[in-house]
Amino acid sequence: MKIKFILAMFIITWLTLVVRVFFLAVESNTYYKKLSHSNTIKSEQITPVRGEIVDRNNRPIAINKLGFKIQLRPHLRSKKSIDKFNEEINNIIKLLPNLKKDQLIKNYIKKDSYYYHNYIDIVHFISYEEIMPVYSVLSLRENVNIVPAPKRYYPYGEIGAHVIGYVSRANKKDIKDDKLLELIGYTGKSGIEKYYNTYLQGEAGQREIKVNANNQEIEELSNVSADEDRKLTLNLDIEFQKYVSSLFDKKAGAVIVMGVDGAILSASSFPEYSLNTFVSGISHELWNKLSKSLDKPFTNKLVNGLYPPGSTIKTGLGLLYITTDIDKSWTVDCRSSMPLGKRVFRCWKKKGHRKTGIKKAIRESCDDFFYKGSLQVGIKKMSEGLMRYGLGKKTGVDLPNEFIGVVPSREWKRKKYNRPWFVGETVNTSIGQGDFLVTPMQIAQFTALLATSKLPTPHFARLIGDKPYKPLAIDVFNEEELKKLPLIQKSMYEVCNYPKGTATQYLSSKVRIAGKTGTAQVVTILQDIEDRALEHEMSYYNRSHAWFTSYGPYKNPQYVVLVMVEHGGHGGAAGGEIVSKIYNKLLELKYIKK
């Protein structure tokens, strides 16, 4: 029995040894081969160069400025190498005294670890002009590496800042969402730079090299180029945009010049700020100054500014009125006030407009007509119709984080506040007040719809690479609306061309235009107060926002021009001169053809 046991143990031991020898000789060979390969073959990603953004005339809007970054060899902070580290840092500061020593050390410590073997960026960007005088001295240092590095640059500074946007250092969240940013280091933070970031940043290349035990390059084995320099061409005319910006002159608000097909020739949110201050990092002092400004320069008012539309929506509501429950010949006797329950809703004109039909109501912006019309049509048809016309939803413009605004309705109020709807809210909605909120981009799209009968998608991109970008406009009007649209268009023409039109006296346009003015209240004015304070008598931030939206030429619509001046008071007075000069410039530059 003992012999059998000993024999069995002997056989088991030998089998174990044989299996182990087989594993070491055969199976582990693949593992060690790979390990050996990784010790001698090094794979590097090639950083793609960000694509440039140009305007419709190929003028550069966002480009890459030539420069360099300075790198240090890793693991220099060990006990045996710390003197070398301090020597290299002090030498760099001596040669380039504008750099901050503490920041260089901080940048190095961020990346330096036992497992990190690549050279570490201690200076992310230094201009060609700065480094050239010391390049030859620095490049001879064995622990220092100088490599080309582009930096985003915006030749037009603050012009179109909210549209173009800017790039800045990628944070941890950015890198978590897109691993390529760990290599690139920068990402689009706002505007078109953010919306088209994935396209503009391109894709990394790949390079395989053979290295020795000291991590020194011996031979390049393969090189797959990065997919880079992806060009983005916009519909913007940046010089025209510069001209439009000059017209706004320290006012706050927004301006949009858009083809009726949705192609945006110029768009600005005011106040603007210099984009170049954000590329390397803005100072705390400037950040605090801008962020605390009551004019909110960081808000892109084109798509993130929410305002009551005021009388600008009377055109769309007028079309809904005469195609649902009211005949186009229906009139009201405007006596300047309309009692409703315990309240009195007043028209802006103190003596009233007297007998008023749809054309006069739009031309002279009679509130009483729309009050009484809303009571016949009701909030359901009003809100559903305006939503169909593009309000209360995203326009689809190629800018990030677009707001949808609010078209009030029973359902909306119940969902948001869990409260019943009151008839007085229907009346308020009819003149674009109450909870009604829109963005300037929505009103520009809405105006294009009234000009052409088609709802376009506003867009800045003209060519993505060499591919044209032209989203199709959609049909939203029914047969009855199409039939009666010319009456609304004629009313908008009279706003700008008839003696009592709300815009006529403020215009000097060489182009025959149609439009609508609007005054959007900022503070609540009780409807039972007969003698209201005039806009210029109010403190600045209590004054109403001024709207002026238009299209032209009237008989052959080509462009929409929208101006919204925050706290500007009356739309015609605040925006008429700006609108006129824009149309005259469009004519001069031959964008508008007679």
Side-chain angles (χ1 to χ4, degrees):
M1 192 69 183
K2 282 183 179 180
I3 294 171
K4 286 182 178 179
F5 177 75
I6 292 169
L7 187 61
M9 290 300 295
F10 180 79
I11 292 168
I12 290 168
T13 302
W14 273 101
L15 280 172
T16 303
L17 288 171
V18 169
V19 169
R20 183 62 180 159
V21 168
F22 174 80
F23 176 79
L24 289 172
V26 181
E27 290 296 316
S28 63
N29 178 62
T30 305
Y31 168 75
Y32 286 107
K33 191 175 180 181
K34 284 182 180 177
L35 192 61
S36 172
H37 184 271
S38 66
N39 285 332
T40 58
I41 308 300
K42 186 178 176 182
S43 181
E44 289 183 347
Q45 283 188 302
I46 301 170
T47 307
V49 175
R50 192 174 183 86
E52 294 185 346
I53 303 174
V54 299
D55 80 346
R56 66 192 298 128
N57 297 308
N58 213 35
R59 297 187 192 101
I61 294 175
I63 59 175
N64 302 307
K65 203 172 183 180
L66 178 62
F68 297 87
K69 58 184 175 182
I70 301 174
Q71 302 175 322
L72 269 189
R73 187 186 295 278
H75 315 142
L76 289 179
R77 290 174 59 252
S78 62
K79 283 186 179 180
K80 66 176 184 178
S81 302
I82 191 67
D83 290 338
K84 282 185 182 179
F85 175 75
N86 291 328
E87 182 187 337
E88 297 297 358
I89 292 290
N90 290 331
N91 184 58
I92 290 169
I93 292 297
K94 183 181 176 182
L95 294 170
L96 298 163
N98 289 332
L99 298 177
K100 294 179 181 177
K101 183 177 179 178
D102 291 346
Q103 189 61 51
L104 301 190
I105 295 171
K106 185 179 177 182
N107 291 342
Y108 189 87
I109 292 171
K110 245 186 223 180
K111 284 279 187 180
D112 189 36
S113 75
Y114 184 78
Y115 301 101
Y116 193 84
H117 304 296
N118 295 324
Y119 273 75
I120 297 169
D121 298 343
I122 59 168
V123 178
H124 296 294
F125 181 86
I126 187 166
S127 71
Y128 179 86
E129 293 77 16
E130 281 182 276
I131 204 167
M132 274 304 103
V134 299
Y135 181 85
S136 57
V137 178
L138 271 178
S139 60
L140 291 174
R141 309 284 298 191
E142 64 174 348
N143 295 311
V144 176
N145 199 20
I146 302 172
V147 294
K151 180 183 179 182
R152 208 61 163 171
Y153 177 67
Y154 303 97
Y156 285 85
E158 65 182 27
I159 301 301
H162 298 85
V163 169
I164 300 161
Y166 62 90
V167 299
S168 190
R169 298 289 300 173
N171 56 36
K172 288 181 181 178
K173 185 182 181 304
D174 296 327
I175 293 169
K176 185 180 177 182
D177 294 338
D178 184 353
K179 296 299 180 186
L180 182 57
L181 294 179
E182 195 163 12
L183 173 70
I184 296 172
Y186 288 82
T187 186
K189 292 288 187 178
S190 69
I192 284 165
E193 288 275 32
K194 182 176 182 178
Y195 190 90
Y196 289 105
N197 184 67
T198 302
Y199 169 75
L200 289 167
Q201 74 182 12
E203 294 178 12
Q206 195 78 18
R207 181 173 175 255
E208 279 200 342
I209 54 174
K210 187 182 283 187
V211 295
N212 62 19
N214 294 321
N215 202 33
Q216 293 174 322
E217 184 177 330
I218 300 171
E219 179 187 359
E220 183 176 85
L221 302 177
S222 67
N223 191 319
V224 179
S225 299
D227 184 359
E228 59 186 4
D229 281 332
R230 294 173 170 180
K231 189 176 181 181
L232 180 65
T233 305
L234 305 183
N235 285 303
L236 290 180
D237 179 334
I238 196 67
E239 287 293 335
F240 177 70
Q241 173 116 354
K242 189 176 177 181
Y243 170 77
V244 173
S245 292
S246 73
L247 300 177
F248 232 72
D249 189 32
K250 297 180 182 178
K251 298 181 181 74
V255 58
I256 298 169
V257 183
M258 181 179 81
V260 290
D261 63 350
I264 299 173
L265 188 65
S266 171
S268 295
S269 172
F270 301 98
E272 297 178 300
Y273 54 84
S274 178
L275 293 170
N276 292 310
T277 58
F278 285 85
V279 178
S280 300
I282 188 171
S283 68
H284 288 293
E285 184 182 356
L286 182 56
W287 172 265
N288 288 333
K289 181 183 176 183
L290 292 171
S291 61
K292 290 176 181 178
S293 169
L294 293 175
D295 290 326
K296 299 179 181 176
F298 287 150
T299 299
N300 184 350
K301 293 163 186 177
L302 299 167
V303 293
N304 302 134
L306 290 174
Y307 309 91
S311 297
T312 60
I313 50 88
K314 288 177 178 175
T315 50
L317 277 176
L319 183 60
L320 285 168
Y321 283 6
I322 63 174
T323 54
T324 51
D325 296 277
I326 293 173
D327 187 78
K328 65 180 182 179
S329 61
W330 182 73
T331 62
V332 301
D333 183 19
C334 173
R335 297 282 177 169
S336 186
S337 65
M338 184 191 79
L340 185 67
K342 295 180 180 180
R343 297 184 64 184
V344 176
F345 288 87
R346 298 193 176 277
C347 186
W348 69 268
K349 191 173 184 180
K350 212 169 181 181
K351 293 181 180 179
H353 292 89
R354 301 305 169 105
K355 185 178 179 181
T356 303
I358 182 65
K359 275 174 65 176
K360 183 179 177 182
I362 292 174
R363 180 179 70 232
E364 300 178 28
S365 207
C366 174
D367 294 329
D368 193 54
F369 179 92
F370 289 92
Y371 291 155
K372 291 168 180 171
S374 71
L375 297 177
Q376 294 204 41
V377 175
I379 191 62
K380 180 176 172 59
K381 289 179 182 177
M382 288 164 58
S383 62
E384 286 178 354
L386 291 170
M387 289 277 285
R388 184 160 48 86
Y389 295 172
L391 303 178
K393 61 179 73 171
K394 292 184 179 183
T395 66
V397 67
D398 42 354
L399 287 176
N401 309 317
E402 182 183 10
F403 287 0
I404 64 171
V406 176
V407 175
S409 66
R410 283 189 178 86
E411 293 73 19
W412 169 81
K413 190 180 178 186
R414 192 181 299 115
K415 187 177 179 180
K416 187 168 179 66
Y417 299 112
N418 195 27
R419 292 175 187 168
W421 182 264
F422 298 105
V423 69
E425 293 172 289
T426 300
V427 173
N428 265 339
T429 301
S430 74
I431 58 165
Q433 294 291 163
D435 292 308
F436 207 154
L437 293 172
V438 297
T439 66
M441 194 63 70
Q442 287 174 324
I443 294 297
Q445 183 192 47
F446 174 72
T447 305
L449 170 67
L450 294 170
T452 65
S453 81
K454 291 183 181 296
L455 191 70
T457 299
H459 55 285
F460 290 95
R462 185 179 181 87
L463 293 171
I464 301 175
D466 57 358
K467 294 179 181 177
Y469 181 73
K470 197 170 183 180
L472 295 175
I474 59 173
D475 295 310
V476 298
F477 286 147
N478 58 39
E479 194 175 325
E480 188 66 15
E481 289 167 338
L482 286 171
K483 183 180 174 183
K484 292 181 178 176
L485 178 62
L487 178 58
I488 302 299
Q489 293 171 334
K490 178 66 174 174
S491 305
M492 293 174 73
Y493 173 80
E494 292 184 4
V495 167
C496 301
N497 295 280
Y498 271 45
K500 290 188 178 181
T502 55
T504 304
Q505 64 176 306
Y506 305 106
L507 290 171
S508 57
S509 172
K510 295 175 185 176
V511 180
R512 286 285 185 182
I513 66 172
K516 186 72 190 77
T517 58
T519 303
Q521 292 172 6
V522 174
V523 293
T524 301
I525 300 174
L526 297 176
Q527 291 289 333
D528 57 355
I529 295 177
E530 291 190 40
D531 294 319
R532 303 182 191 178
L534 298 174
E535 291 287 344
H536 69 271
E537 295 172 344
M538 295 177 163
S539 62
Y540 176 77
Y541 288 104
N542 283 337
R543 294 175 191 169
S544 300
H545 299 316
W547 290 95
F548 192 156
T549 187
S550 65
Y551 68 86
Y554 166 62
K555 289 188 176 180
N556 178 27
Q558 294 169 41
Y559 283 92
V560 166
V561 175
L562 174 138
V563 170
M564 192 283 297
V565 182
E566 288 186 349
H567 312 294
H570 181 266
E577 184 182 0
I578 298 173
V579 168
S580 296
K581 287 182 176 179
I582 290 173
Y583 277 109
N584 292 342
K585 196 69 173 178
L586 287 170
L587 194 62
E588 178 191 325
L589 296 174
K590 298 183 180 178
Y591 281 114
I592 285 181
K593 299 172 180 63
K594 284 190 177 180

